[in-house]
Amino acid sequence: MLSKKEIYFQNEYQKANFFQERFNSSFKYLRGDTKKKWNKTFRNEIKDFLSCKIPLPQNFLLHEIHHYLTDDLLKIEKGDNPSNDRNEITKLMFEFAESKNNSYIGLVEWLYRDVIRKDFYFQRIPTVRMHIPQENFLYPKWHSDCFLGHSPKEINCWFGLTNNVESGFWLIDLEKSQKWISEFDYNFENFLKKARSRDKKFNDLGFQRAIEIKNIYDSILLFDSRCIHTALNRTKTDSTTRVSIDIRIILKEEFEWVTINEEPLYIGKGVK
């Protein structure tokens, strides 16, 4: 028998929401929809920022930055959660994200005016990620953000700043995501436990159901937060650095405070 929480998310996965009604899909590429090139704007800003922080050659290419990163910048410091392990270059990504408020607000205003066209709440500070060839984190990590305490009504916005052959970002559409989590009776904890187990059959099933996101260098990807996805380590076939930005938004009309058994349902898992 399903718990109240599992029944709630079963219902949420079966509902059509704003995203399906607006885009008739579970994900949407935004290409050429604006004269403002957000990928280029943030790419140039992060290059300027890093040039002021660490020794880098003039006119370096962001996807080749790993050639200039010292061991001190790459040394991992353990956090309170494996997902919160950090090195100095990652900390610089957080510092950059906090310092570029004007550009970020510009991006959010464009999303509001030209894409969503409804009032929404948005992530206060964007998440900037850098995946370099030397790293060997425990990927894949199949998940949906609502497995980690986010609302299933959120919209994810993701775009790349580097021109990589492989994005290393895999996404499963909503229908197949619902099928996969239903096989776990909508028990997120059991799904995540399996995802962390390094089970080859489980991971292979994810790749069979997923597509690798392409052509993200000059476009922006929006996708339904219920979609299961994962990043990957950089591979031998594309040993370049990938830098990306992701944010989450939720319509004002869909924001809600849900409790089950007097406990709030949407609680973060301590993953920063």
Side-chain angles (χ1 to χ4, degrees):
M1 180 180 295
L2 300 183
S3 68
K4 290 181 179 179
K5 178 180 176 181
E6 291 159 358
I7 291 171
Y8 174 86
F9 281 107
Q10 180 185 47
N11 292 334
E12 288 298 316
Y13 259 94
Q14 293 171 350
K15 289 180 181 177
N17 62 14
F18 166 81
F19 200 98
Q20 283 74 49
E21 294 170 357
R22 171 59 59 85
F23 302 113
N24 194 32
S25 178
S26 49
F27 61 90
K28 170 72 174 178
Y29 282 106
L30 304 176
R31 292 195 185 99
D33 293 346
T34 175
K35 294 180 180 179
K36 182 72 171 178
K37 301 297 183 183
W38 296 110
N39 308 67
K40 183 178 180 180
T41 295
F42 283 97
R43 179 165 58 252
N44 290 339
E45 288 187 349
I46 200 168
K47 287 178 65 178
D48 290 343
F49 174 84
L50 290 172
S51 293
C52 294
K53 295 291 182 177
I54 59 178
L56 290 167
Q58 189 175 12
N59 299 322
F60 75 97
L61 298 175
L62 191 56
H63 69 274
E64 295 181 351
I65 193 173
H66 53 280
H67 293 303
Y68 314 110
L69 301 180
T70 62
D71 290 343
D72 288 342
L73 289 169
L74 299 178
K75 183 179 179 181
I76 299 293
E77 293 182 11
K78 295 295 184 180
D80 56 349
N81 180 308
S83 296
N84 291 332
D85 293 350
R86 297 283 183 262
N87 56 27
E88 289 302 317
I89 195 67
T90 302
K91 292 177 183 178
L92 285 175
M93 295 300 95
F94 279 92
E95 186 179 338
F96 167 79
E98 292 183 311
S99 71
K100 294 300 174 183
N101 192 57
N102 289 341
S103 296
Y104 179 47
I105 294 301
L107 169 65
V108 169
E109 289 176 340
W110 169 74
L111 285 171
Y112 168 73
R113 182 182 63 250
D114 293 1
V115 182
I116 306 300
R117 304 189 190 100
K118 285 192 173 188
D119 291 345
F120 59 78
Y121 297 108
F122 59 92
Q123 186 174 324
R124 185 176 69 86
I125 300 172
T127 304
V128 183
R129 306 180 193 272
M130 180 180 288
H131 293 263
I132 63 175
Q134 295 99 313
E135 290 176 332
N136 188 27
F137 291 117
L138 296 179
Y139 289 116
K141 296 178 182 177
W142 295 107
H143 70 283
S144 156
D145 286 6
C146 64
F147 298 179
L148 303 174
H150 290 262
S151 168
K153 295 181 173 68
E154 289 182 4
I155 297 172
N156 287 45
C157 173
W158 186 85
F159 58 100
L161 307 184
T162 43
N163 191 11
N164 309 107
V165 175
E166 299 174 2
S167 72
F169 186 82
W170 291 72
L171 180 70
I172 302 175
D173 69 27
L174 182 58
E175 181 180 359
K176 292 176 183 176
S177 294
Q178 180 187 354
K179 183 179 188 305
W180 204 5
I181 189 60
S182 71
E183 293 165 3
F184 288 79
D185 292 327
Y186 298 91
N187 186 305
F188 298 163
E189 289 75 17
N190 287 345
F191 183 97
L192 292 173
K193 182 178 179 180
K194 192 71 171 178
R196 291 189 292 263
S197 71
R198 314 290 291 164
D199 183 275
K200 185 178 186 302
K201 184 178 179 181
F202 176 88
N203 287 331
D204 287 347
L205 181 59
F207 288 118
Q208 291 169 18
R209 292 174 169 174
I211 60 169
E212 184 178 15
I213 298 301
K214 303 288 188 180
N215 304 321
I216 206 66
Y217 180 63
D218 57 358
S219 60
I220 293 175
L221 176 73
L222 301 181
F223 64 94
D224 189 308
S225 183
R226 295 171 292 182
C227 293
I228 295 172
H229 54 280
T230 188
L232 290 181
N233 292 311
R234 306 307 295 156
T235 68
K236 293 180 180 179
T237 55
D238 185 13
S239 56
T240 57
T241 292
R242 191 199 83 194
V243 183
S244 62
I245 293 179
D246 57 90
I247 66 171
R248 290 148 196 84
I249 66 174
I250 185 169
L251 294 189
K252 184 177 179 181
E253 65 190 47
E254 291 192 333
F255 180 82
E256 57 186 347
W257 181 254
V258 180
T259 61
I260 292 180
N261 297 328
E262 300 183 350
E263 293 291 333
L265 190 58
Y266 306 139
I267 302 176
K269 302 294 186 181
V271 179
K272 306 182 182 72

